Each structure stands twice: as structure tokens, then as C-alpha cells.
């Protein structure tokens, strides 16, 4: 579907790919559109909803500045999906032991691996880039070694899914863990200090930015780039651990070449509408022409493997998921464990009060989200989860 709404109250327009936008998200989009360094326009994806400073589901092109809170604190958060040679009829009738095996292999929540140096190969790839960052910003330090190859909590997950041909897929969602959070929070605060120093007034203090050439700009670009690489490696290591765990619980299988690993919280240097910009995708994935991506639904809904159409008005982007319809607090107040059990019927997953905030009804309808972005992507595979691991 084409652009559904346009906000014209700011310095540049905001082009929105849905009618389903909450009032608080609309206000945030207006705030971003007022900033003096936004190029061309702001795009809002069909899963758009309120976030810190900038809306989740927004794509923001900037000239000569980056907004750290728009990139967010789960820097490099994204998805990884891999198709296996197994079919649905080769899975056991009960997937409880399979879920237990995955949970034993991949730390969830705040947990990490028992030893910091558990994965020498992965650490070797990411460790060298962190030292110069920590030398300049020692406050950033966090448990990054032991958390490499771990899931985290909240909306992060590991799933086994079946596609339209009843083929089995592994799909996971995670990011840069504690170290990414520290990097994000650290530079958000530094950006706020920059605004105070220069007495710059903003419509929202969380839109504090780092101008190119300022004291901390280059340090942030270096740190955010490292966190994005760490997030990619984190997902790569989790996928390896999951495959190893499944080999002990499922019939022999091969992994296929159809694999996707993509960010949806990040900033990248790209060319759009005649300018080289810093493009921030806050809860959006790149959907360049022919590029594969992943759009997950909630615990009880469908997910999609998509191919980008390279739509220039969305800055070659699409949604990163269904998008929340209500806050975690509201979901916990509104729903019960029985509601969770009913809405995740047929899925092997946690069904306790600790994950009620992730109940499917707390999210937008993924089919409606997909219907709103037919101009942005085409569906390659439709996946339905049969097992979900949550932190």
C-alpha cells in the first residue's frame, strides 16, 4: 500500500505507511521533523509506535549529525533466520525437551556464559575494536565477553518455525546486550550535555544530537559501529549453539544456504535523494531491491521472510515486526496467564506471568502491518512458530 498519512507541521514532512498511529507516536514524529539537520523527510513504517525520543518504526536521514537516542540502547538489535532440511513430520510430538535443550545452550535474561573466554573465535573477531573505545570512555565497560552468544530478555526470542512448505526454520531476535546498552546510554548523556553547553533548545531532550566535528561525534560513530558488529556476532554465535543443541534432540539435518542476518536498530552511511546521509533505522530493516529481510510477528502469530522492493520514499526500508499496541505495564494489567495460554495455543513456550507483557494481543496485527507495506516488500516465506524461547 502507498503512503497513508503525511505530517506537514515540521521543517520536513513525515510520510507514514499506516493509519494506525498512536497520538504519542505522532507527537514524536512531529518533534523529529522539526530538527534542522533532517534531510528530505522522515519515514514511519506500519509498525510505528512510541519509543524513547524517536518513534520505534521510524527512518531518519540526517546531514552532519546523529541522534544517539534515535539509534537507541539496543544497538544493532536484529534478526537471524536459517532454514533446515527437516520437515514438520520429522519433529517430535512434544517439543518440550527441544525447548529445554535450547534454553540450556543459550543463556537468557541477564545471564551470560560461565567463562568470559568461552568463545575464542567470536571474541577474536570483536575484541580488538573495543579497546580504543574503552580507553577513551571507560564508563562504558560491561559484561560483554560472557554475554556474547546470549539472548537477553524482553521481546528477544528464539523460535522454531514452519514455512508454507512445512520446512523447519530457526529464527532468533537479539542485539548487543549489556555493552550496547552502556554505549547507547553513555552517548545519549554526552549528547544532552552538548545541547546544554551550546544552549540548544529541543522539543524533546532525548533528541539531543552529536554534530559532525563535535567533541564526541567520531567516538560515537566508532562505538556504535563496534556495537553493531558485536550484535551481528552475538546472533551468529547463538545460531551455532542452537544448531548444536538441536542435533542432540532432532533427526539428522543439514542447514541450507537460505540464511538472513539483519539489523533493525542501527545507523549507516547511505545515499538518498541526492545526499550522503547518516540513516538511522529505529525499529526498521533495510529493504533494498532484492535484499532479504525478516519481519516477525508476536509469540502466537505468523512471521515473514521478505524481499525488498527498494522503495525510495521509505529510504529502502520496511517494518521490523508487528510493533507494540500497548505498553508492557498495560499488557500485564489487562491480561492473565489464561489469556496467554489461549493466545499461544499450539506453541511450546513459557506460559507464566513473567512473559504476559509479551502476549500476542499486546502487539499490532502482523497481517495488517504486512498489508500496509506491499509497496516496500514482497513475501518470500510465511512462517508459523511451533516453539518459542523467551528470557
Amino acid at each position: 500500500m502507498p503512503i497513508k498519512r503525511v505530517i506537514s507541521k515540521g521543517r520536513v514532512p513525515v510520510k507514514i505507511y499506516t493509519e494506525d498511529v498512536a497520538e504519542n507516536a505522532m507527537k514524536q514524529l512531529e518533534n523529529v521533523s522539526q530538527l534542522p539537520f533532517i534531510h528530505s523527510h522522515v519515514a514511519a513504517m506500519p509498525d510505528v509506535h512510541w519509543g524513547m525520543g524517536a518513534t520505534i518504526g521510524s527512518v531518519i536521514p540526517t546531514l552532519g549529525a546523529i541522534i544517539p537516542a534515535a539509534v537507541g540502547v539496543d544497538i544493532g538489535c536484529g534478526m537471524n533466520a536459517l532454514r533446515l532440511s527437516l520437515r514438520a513430520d520429522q519433529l517430535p510430538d512434544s517439543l518440550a525437551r527441544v525447548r529445554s535443550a535450547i534454553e540450556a545452550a543459550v543463556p537468557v535474561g541477564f545471564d551470560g556464559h560461565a567463562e568470559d573466554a568461552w568463545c575464542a573465535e567470536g571474541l577474536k573477531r570483536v575484541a580488538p575494536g573495543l579497546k580504543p573505545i574503552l580507553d577513551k570512555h571507560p564508563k562504558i565497560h560491561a559484561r560483554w565477553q560472557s554475554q556474547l552468544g546470549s539472548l537477553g530478555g524482553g521481546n528477544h526470542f528464539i523460535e522454531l518455525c514452519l514455512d508454507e512448505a512445512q520446512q523447519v526454520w530457526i529464527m532468533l531476535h537479539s542485539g548487543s546486550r549489556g555493552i550496547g546498552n552502556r554505549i547507547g546510554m553513555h552517548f545519549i548523556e554526552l549528547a544532552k550535555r552538548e545541547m546544554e553547553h551550546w544552549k540548544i533548545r529541543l522539543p524533546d531532550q532525548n533528541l539531543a544530537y552529536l554534530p559532525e566535528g563535535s567533541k564526541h561525534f567520531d567516538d560515537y560513530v566508532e562505538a556504535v559501529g563496534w556495537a553493531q558488529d558485536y550484535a551481528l556476532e552475538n546472533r551468529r554465535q547463538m545460531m551455532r549453539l542452537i544448531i548444536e543443541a538441536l542435533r542432540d534432540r532432532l533427526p539428522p539435518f543439514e542447514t541450507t544456504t537460505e540464511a538472513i542476518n539483519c539489523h533493525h536498530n542501527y545507523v549507516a552511511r547511505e545515499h538518498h535523494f541526492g545526499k550522503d546521509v547518516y540513516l538511522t533505522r529505529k525499529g526498521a530493516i533495510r529493504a533494498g531491491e532484492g535484499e532479504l529481510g525478516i519481519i516477525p510477528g508476536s509469540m502466537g502469530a505468523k512471521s515473514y521472510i521478505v524481499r525488498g522492493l527498494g522503495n525510495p520514499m521509505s529510504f529502502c526500508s520496511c517494518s521490523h515486526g508487528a510493533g507494540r499496541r500497548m505498553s508492557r505495564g498495560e499488557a500485564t494489567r489487562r491480561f492473565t496467564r489464561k489469556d496467554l495460554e489461549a493466545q499461544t495455543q499450539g506453541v511450546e513456550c513459557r506460559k507464566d506471568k513473567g512473559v504476559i507483557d509479551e502476549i500476542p494481543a499486546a502487539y499490532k496485527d502482523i497481517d495488517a502491518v504486512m498489508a500496509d507495506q506491499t509497496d516496500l516488500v514482497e513475501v518470500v516465506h510465511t512462517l508459523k512458530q511451533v516453539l518459542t524461547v523467551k528470557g
Side-chain angles (χ1 to χ4, degrees), residues 237-288:
Q237 293 302 325
M238 273 193 287
M239 184 63 78
R240 179 178 64 80
L241 293 171
I242 294 163
I243 290 170
E244 290 174 0
L246 293 181
R247 292 201 187 280
D248 292 334
R249 289 284 183 264
L250 298 178
F253 63 85
E254 300 297 326
T255 58
T256 72
T257 55
E258 194 166 19
I260 308 133
N261 198 342
C262 57
H263 296 321
H264 55 226
N265 282 355
Y266 72 111
V267 61
R269 197 80 162 134
E270 297 186 13
H271 189 82
H272 294 278
F273 295 98
K275 296 285 186 179
D276 291 327
V277 300
Y278 293 102
L279 193 71
T280 297
R281 292 186 174 93
K282 185 181 179 77
I285 63 172
R286 181 170 167 82

Side-chain angles (χ1 to χ4, degrees), residues 287-291 307-312 373-378:
E289 186 173 3
E291 295 177 354
R307 182 179 291 112
L309 298 179
N311 189 309
Q373 54 186 336
T374 53
D375 281 7
L376 310 183
V377 294
E378 60 181 0

Side-chain angles (χ1 to χ4, degrees), residues 1-2 17 272 281 285-293 295 305-319 370-380:
M1 295 291 288
Y17 284 85
H272 294 278
R281 292 186 174 93
I285 63 172
R286 181 170 167 82
E289 186 173 3
E291 295 177 354
L292 291 177
I295 304 176
I305 305 297
V306 298
R307 182 179 291 112
L309 298 179
N311 189 309
M313 297 309 294
S314 73
F315 303 102
C316 298
S317 307
C318 69
S319 82
M370 295 303 296
D372 280 340
Q373 54 186 336
T374 53
D375 281 7
L376 310 183
V377 294
E378 60 181 0
V379 174
V380 178

Side-chain angles (χ1 to χ4, degrees), residues 11-12 32-33 35-42 54 59-68 70-71 207-212 217 220-221 266-272 275-281 315:
R11 198 184 61 82
V12 298
V32 170
S33 72
L35 298 174
F37 48 83
I38 306 297
H39 173 59
S40 176
H41 64 278
V42 175
V59 184
I60 306 168
T62 57
L63 293 168
I66 300 176
I67 309 164
V71 179
L207 293 178
Y209 55 91
L210 295 171
E212 207 164 19
F217 181 87
Y220 179 68
V221 170
Y266 72 111
V267 61
R269 197 80 162 134
E270 297 186 13
H271 189 82
H272 294 278
K275 296 285 186 179
D276 291 327
V277 300
Y278 293 102
L279 193 71
T280 297
R281 292 186 174 93
F315 303 102

Side-chain angles (χ1 to χ4, degrees), residues 37 62-69 186-195 207-221 278:
F37 48 83
T62 57
L63 293 168
I66 300 176
I67 309 164
H186 179 69
F187 282 97
I188 288 170
E189 289 305 311
L190 291 180
K192 288 178 180 179
R193 290 183 206 169
E194 288 270 322
M195 301 297 97
L207 293 178
Y209 55 91
L210 295 171
E212 207 164 19
S214 63
K215 181 178 179 182
H216 301 297
F217 181 87
D218 289 342
D219 288 355
Y220 179 68
V221 170
Y278 293 102

Side-chain angles (χ1 to χ4, degrees), residues 48 101 129 132 185 209 297 362:
V48 63
M185 293 303 296
Y209 55 91

